[in-house]
Amino acid sequence: MTALLLVRRVPPARLELTRTTARQWDAALAGDATVQWWELVDPAADDAAPPAALAALRPDPVTVRLAGVATPPGQRDRAVQVVVALIDALRATSALTLEALPSAELSAILRDAGFLPAGDGRAVLEL
């Protein structure tokens, strides 16, 4: 049986675990101290259990910027899953748009999650 995975903003008590996990998956993203972390987790798992995937945001009341996604190697499906769950969570906020300046790899993930090209290399999704 597959565990139900939910997205949530990383609680302060899990930030060190998040940073450690992110360093294993994407060292450049993990080194960005300006991002807000969101995690895809099994809500029934122990608090010491690592997330299934991570998303890093630069929040704004209207336009949220996706800085990147971190997953274990070969887990592209988890990257799409965390982005889709994040979109659903952000729809409950005042944000109107989620945008990113994606790399080639992230572009395919965002396209699968419903983002559209917006010029200047950006990809956007209206919430």
Side-chain angles (χ1 to χ4, degrees):
M1 181 177 206
T2 303
L4 170 68
L5 298 176
L6 302 175
V7 72
R8 68 178 180 189
R9 187 170 170 193
V10 173
R14 286 182 55 88
L15 276 174
E16 189 56 39
L17 174 62
T18 297
R19 289 184 182 111
T20 299
T21 303
R23 274 191 291 277
Q24 295 170 9
W25 298 341
D26 186 332
L29 187 60
D32 188 340
T34 67
V35 297
Q36 179 187 89
W37 289 100
W38 287 68
E39 62 183 353
L40 189 64
V41 294
D42 177 350
D46 183 270
D47 272 349
L54 294 165
L57 299 180
R58 290 193 175 81
D60 177 89
V62 177
T63 302
V64 176
R65 286 164 183 82
L66 179 65
V69 175
T71 62
Q75 295 289 318
R76 185 178 177 284
D77 59 327
R78 292 291 172 151
V80 174
Q81 188 177 7
V82 73
V83 172
V84 169
L86 182 60
I87 291 165
D88 289 340
L90 291 174
R91 285 186 170 136
T93 70
S94 64
L96 300 175
T97 306
L98 179 59
E99 74 172 27
L101 285 170
S103 63
E105 181 182 342
L106 187 56
S107 287
I109 292 164
L110 297 180
R111 192 172 38 254
D112 288 352
F115 280 71
L116 298 172
D120 299 332
R122 294 179 306 124
V124 298
L125 184 125
E126 300 301 320
L127 299 167

